[in-house]
Amino acid sequence: MKLSRTVLSSLPSLLKPYSSLSWTTTMATTAKTVEGMKTVDEADVGISCFISQLPGFRGILKQRSYADFIVNEVDIDGNVVHLTSLDLPPEMDVKEEDKAKSSDYVPQSYTSAIESFRSISSVTDAERLETLINQVTSGTGDEISPVVLDPSSDKSKRTAIHNFVKENFKFLVTDTVDGPDSTSKCIRVRVNSGAHNNRGNRSKKRKERGDKPFDSRGSEHWPEHVGKFLRFHLYKENKDTQEALGLIGKMLGVQPKSFGFSGTKDKRSVSTQRVTVFKQQASKLAALNKRLFGIKVGDFCHVKEGLLLGQLMGNRFTITLRRVVADSEETIKKSAESLGKDGFINYFGLQRFGSGSVPTHHVGAALLKGEWKDAVDMILDPRETERHVVNDAREYYKETGDIDGTLRQLPRYLVAERAILQCLKKCPGNYLQALKGIPRTLRMMYVHSYQSYLWNNAASLRVTKYGTSQVVLGDLVSTKVNAEKRMVDSLTSEHNESSEEALDCDHVDDTAVVDLPAERSDLVKVVSIEDLEAGTYLTSDIVLPLPGSRVIYPSNDIAEIYHDLAKKDGISLTESIHGVKEFSITSMTGGYRRVFQKPIDFEWELLTYTDSNKPLAETDLDRITVNKPVDKVGSAEEIEDEPLKSDTNPHESCETNLKDQIDSKEDEKDTENPDSEQTQMALKMALTLPSSCYATMAIRELLKTSTSVAYHKTLN
């Protein structure tokens, strides 16, 4: 723990009474506002307990700067991933361009080939081809347009041209397009660079290319001694991981599946993570830094294997809580020390359940019951918490049933809604088929959300009945044999959360519950009297299951809450009432999750500040710019205007509407004139968490207040 002299001298004036009465009043006032907006509350999803009984204090999360929430991936070897350089390594800077010109693009000699081409085509076609080749060899990096040769009705001649180009110009590809009349065709010639209109690998037969998990469009002549994957560090501000990779892929001309990553990161944050891309040159990615806004790439190297979801140890968080109000320094100190020593309850955070008026676990319950139309209605129906343009589209569909008109109004980021409508257009009334039209990772998130709802309630009951300081008879614990490597968690990561706590397909790729093979049934065991007497297990070993066909439950009364809650919702955890396996808990294997989690390498310090817009934590890009100025990634103006954008997150309207309704004149005044601000106190923390944990739940344990975005907006 660090406490600066400035803070010490300022504490008497900064520390204010923050009794349980003021906390209750604030929470009650906020609850009314949130209730009016029909948003998800912590108690609605089973989040109700704390480990410590210490009083809380006030602090605002993500008040102004994205740098208040910094996420750095921790790789599988325990290394914290940082962006340290935007430059190409010397060996790549020299060799890659040469390799590209010699192997991918420029043949050793093409003059004689052009002359030979004249004999099977025309002088004009030969000139067009020569111009195209000259553009390629110039290495300008500009986009090169394809050329279309003269129309011909002679199929044998066209075949000869196709074969000639294929044999003599490996860096070009050809296809056939319609000619000026029905009797003729034209040959189009273009660079084989993986552009969007390049058939590339897709032109091969499926048998030839196999079921590769990545897009293999890239150099056909990749050097054998160079790894086929380019690994780089992706730095982003206020961007979803897949949103950022989508932009990069569009600029490179490659599909999203070309990229590999271990997990998505929080949108409203500054984050750095590893990414791999198949057969791409570092020089091309490095050149994008001047064009990308809110994104930087660097630290390039070639590797043999691409990254897969889940290949990380966790994340290192640097979190700044602003406008801290506490009754004494001792309150903050004890709370921070307690968090470091005892940890927090490892709840699934609110972001797991969405921010709209219809919680995602309600949709999940409908799916488990086979109520397909109800599930569709919950996804499509109007929502008070959404911005007007989206809610108007929902209202329009509910009133008119006009699918085409609704699709024209719905933003493209509403993936589930658009997928359902497009399927209903093809198969009216087939609601099950419409639900299956949603991308699998997104539609399964609804069911997983219901599992999380049951788990949270079970965890709260375990803490309420038996406390947090001891293992009791009948508890479920992870086995001691190689426990760290063999323990299976639900892969739900804090880096999936968005500040609006939205459910979006960009955030669910790594949230599926891990399968439990039958041969690994010894992962957990029920605590016996002998175990208690021997003191074999600690509270950190206690786990609870996510329902499935291969899990076991505690042998004490905690198991009852799973079945009681499910029965209340009309759901059986032991048998399915319909034959759709993917929407049946009995067809899912299930998983386990630790009940208590301690932060790793936890550090904290109190700071004072007067300018709310000034970052209090240093980002990776800040460190780079100290030595070498680079283009700015974002601006304060962008941060303030961001909620007004319509192409960001599916359900961020909750924030926007609350912002309109809540009186924030004091903050507006402070923002307009930072110099007039009074000295405020901030708590800066750094902690590492496994990939299965939510940092917001650690903050909740510290502050003893709600972690909802709506609540923290009211504090502004």
Side-chain angles (χ1 to χ4, degrees), residues 172-467:
L172 299 177
V173 292
T174 60
D175 60 1
T176 304
V177 296
D178 291 334
D181 55 65
S182 59
T183 63
S184 64
K185 299 285 185 180
C186 296
I187 291 178
R188 179 173 56 182
V189 186
R190 62 190 188 278
V191 178
N192 183 12
S193 58
H196 288 296
N197 62 347
N198 179 6
R199 289 163 58 199
N201 187 58
R202 288 177 291 169
S203 65
K204 298 179 182 179
K205 294 180 180 178
R206 182 177 298 273
K207 186 182 296 184
E208 294 177 4
R209 68 175 183 261
D211 296 324
K212 296 182 180 179
F214 48 79
D215 181 0
S216 60
R217 291 177 301 168
S219 170
E220 294 287 340
H221 308 282
W222 198 261
E224 292 184 4
H225 66 282
V226 176
K228 292 184 178 181
F229 292 87
L230 175 67
R231 191 178 70 196
F232 60 94
H233 291 177
L234 171 67
Y235 171 98
K236 60 184 182 63
E237 297 183 4
N238 190 37
K239 294 283 190 301
D240 299 326
T241 298
Q242 292 191 351
E243 177 189 358
L245 294 180
L247 291 171
I248 294 173
K250 186 176 181 180
M251 292 179 176
L252 290 176
V254 299
Q255 296 180 3
K257 64 180 180 180
S258 300
F259 296 99
F261 51 90
S262 301
T264 57
K265 306 301 177 190
D266 183 11
K267 177 184 177 180
R268 276 183 65 93
S269 70
V270 175
S271 67
T272 305
Q273 66 185 110
R274 299 163 303 150
V275 178
T276 55
V277 62
F278 185 66
K279 284 187 176 180
Q280 289 294 323
Q281 299 170 16
S283 57
K284 290 184 178 181
L285 269 82
L288 299 182
N289 279 323
K290 294 181 179 180
R291 301 167 55 193
L292 290 167
F293 188 81
I295 303 169
K296 296 294 177 185
V297 292
D299 297 280
F300 306 100
C301 69
H302 286 292
V303 293
K304 294 181 179 180
E305 301 292 337
L307 286 169
L308 298 174
L309 289 170
Q311 289 183 336
L312 76 166
M313 184 174 289
N315 296 282
R316 180 72 176 170
F317 297 92
T318 304
I319 300 170
T320 304
L321 299 175
R322 293 179 182 262
R323 298 184 69 177
V324 170
V325 178
D327 53 12
S328 68
E329 175 196 345
E330 193 66 18
T331 296
I332 302 173
K333 180 180 178 181
K334 286 184 177 180
S335 295
E337 289 177 346
S338 173
L339 177 62
K341 177 185 176 183
D342 302 321
F344 57 95
I345 302 172
N346 197 20
Y347 287 122
F348 289 94
L350 281 178
Q351 53 272 38
R352 180 69 155 175
F353 305 95
S355 65
S357 54
V358 180
T360 55
H361 68 288
H362 287 186
V363 180
L367 294 175
L368 293 170
K369 290 184 287 186
E371 298 172 350
W372 316 127
K373 186 178 185 302
D374 288 347
V376 167
D377 288 343
M378 279 190 268
I379 296 172
L380 293 180
D381 277 353
R383 303 177 183 184
E384 295 181 11
T385 58
E386 284 189 319
R387 57 183 58 180
H388 294 306
V389 64
V390 176
N391 203 51
D392 288 348
R394 294 182 185 276
E395 291 280 7
Y396 176 80
Y397 176 71
K398 191 174 182 66
E399 294 173 2
T400 67
D402 178 8
I403 292 179
D404 288 331
T406 306
L407 286 172
R408 284 193 293 269
Q409 297 179 51
L410 277 180
R412 292 194 176 275
Y413 60 70
L414 294 179
V415 176
E417 289 84 345
R418 293 184 65 87
I420 287 174
L421 289 174
Q422 286 163 351
C423 287
L424 287 177
K425 181 180 178 181
K426 297 177 181 178
C427 306
N430 192 336
Y431 297 105
L432 174 58
Q433 192 61 38
L435 289 164
K436 288 186 174 182
I438 302 172
R440 176 175 169 77
T441 50
L442 179 53
R443 67 179 184 260
M444 291 309 298
M445 183 65 171
Y446 296 117
V447 178
H448 296 155
S449 178
Y450 189 77
Q451 290 176 301
S452 304
Y453 162 75
L454 295 180
W455 191 96
N456 278 359
N457 279 279
S460 291
L461 181 63
R462 167 62 180 77
V463 172
T464 301
K465 296 203 72 170
Y466 301 116

Side-chain angles (χ1 to χ4, degrees), residues 62 69-74 236 239-242 261-269 271-273 309-317 351 491-499 506-511 689-696:
K62 302 181 185 179
F69 200 88
I70 300 174
V71 186
N72 290 87
E73 187 171 274
V74 179
K236 60 184 182 63
K239 294 283 190 301
D240 299 326
T241 298
Q242 292 191 351
F261 51 90
S262 301
T264 57
K265 306 301 177 190
D266 183 11
K267 177 184 177 180
R268 276 183 65 93
S269 70
S271 67
T272 305
Q273 66 185 110
L309 289 170
Q311 289 183 336
L312 76 166
M313 184 174 289
N315 296 282
R316 180 72 176 170
F317 297 92
Q351 53 272 38
L491 291 180
T492 306
S493 170
E494 166 67 20
H495 54 246
N496 290 345
E497 77 173 58
S498 68
S499 62
D506 287 349
H507 295 145
V508 300
D509 284 344
D510 58 346
T511 56
L689 295 176
S691 59
S692 60
C693 302
Y694 287 72
T696 49

